[in-house]
């Protein structure tokens, strides 16, 4: 008896420039998300490298919103990201968000960390063009600002 083979989804390259003002591309095509919270969510999911509870992400992006409103805003934001990118880069279940299984994230920060691990210090230093997410800010998201600050300081310390 022949077994039906599941069709493998094509690999999606999600490219992020995170030193300096952030930018995102999908398969070498720049993407304009039009919403800073959308960009922040993508960056956070790439950084987390796994499932992130919705209950963690929602207050990070909308600290003033109660649970139901925050969850509704998060659902709407994920929909906007999917529309803007033209591909589904965010996977989800009832409780968590994560990058979709067929997404291969690439970033200058990951390359920087890899170069440091390999003792390729000149190449790491060349990638560090300016601070992590320099000039990027999301209004009324103090917890996100705090997360970015500590990540920025950690990377600066590694340099």
């Amino acid at each position: 008896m022949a077994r039906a083979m599941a069709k493998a989804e094509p690999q999606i390259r999600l490219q992020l420039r995170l030193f300096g003002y952030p930018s995102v591309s999908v398969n070498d095509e720049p993407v304009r998300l039009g919403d800073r919270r959308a960009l922040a969510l993508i960056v956070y999911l790439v950084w987390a490298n796994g499932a992130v509870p919705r209950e963690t992400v929602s207050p990070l992006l909308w600290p003033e919103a109660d649970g139901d409103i925050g969850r509704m805003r998060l659902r709407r934001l994920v929909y906007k990201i999917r529309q803007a990118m033209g591909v589904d880069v965010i996977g989800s279940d009832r409780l968590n968000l994560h990058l979709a299984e067929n997404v291969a994230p690439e970033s200058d920060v990951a390359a920087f960390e890899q170069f440091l691990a390999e003792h390729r210090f000149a190449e790491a230093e060349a990638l560090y063009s300016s601070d992590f997410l320099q000039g990027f800010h999301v209004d009324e998201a103090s917890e996100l600002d705090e997360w970015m600050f500590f990540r920025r300081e950690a990377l600066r310390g590694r340099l």
Side-chain angles (χ1 to χ4, degrees):
M1 173 163 48
R3 294 171 71 180
M5 293 183 58
K7 184 178 179 182
E9 291 186 46
Q11 192 74 4
I12 297 169
R13 291 179 53 228
L14 178 64
Q15 302 135 313
L16 297 144
R17 193 191 85 223
L18 303 175
F19 286 126
Y21 198 86
S23 66
V24 63
S25 298
V26 173
N27 298 327
D28 297 315
E29 292 294 324
V31 174
R32 181 158 160 67
L33 293 169
D35 185 328
R36 289 177 180 224
R37 282 182 172 82
L39 184 53
L41 177 58
I42 294 294
V43 170
Y44 194 79
L45 291 175
V46 168
W47 171 81
N49 196 28
V52 178
R54 291 173 183 267
E55 299 303 321
T56 299
V57 176
S58 178
L60 190 69
L61 298 173
W62 299 280
E64 79 290 349
D66 71 16
D68 289 338
I69 292 173
R71 283 187 295 276
M72 178 194 64
R73 288 179 179 174
L74 188 56
R75 278 192 306 274
R76 195 174 313 142
L77 185 65
V78 169
Y79 176 78
K80 282 180 173 179
I81 291 169
R82 289 173 176 155
Q83 293 299 107
M85 291 192 166
V87 293
D88 200 1
V89 298
I90 297 178
S92 63
D93 59 37
R94 204 170 62 78
L95 300 175
N96 301 300
L97 295 175
H98 53 83
L99 293 178
E101 289 182 24
N102 62 326
V103 171
E106 303 170 4
S107 75
D108 51 357
V109 171
F112 171 81
E113 296 280 5
Q114 184 66 39
F115 286 149
L116 289 178
E118 295 170 356
H119 302 279
R120 296 165 59 188
F121 302 120
E123 291 164 290
E125 185 177 10
L127 274 179
Y128 199 107
S129 57
S130 54
D131 284 332
F132 177 73
L133 302 178
Q134 183 173 333
F136 181 73
H137 174 74
V138 175
D139 291 337
E140 300 174 10
S142 58
E143 288 184 41
L144 179 64
D145 284 341
E146 189 173 309
W147 175 81
M148 289 188 305
F149 171 79
F150 284 112
R151 184 75 176 131
R152 184 176 299 126
E153 290 301 309
L155 287 166
R156 189 180 295 144
R158 301 275 329 259
L159 179 65

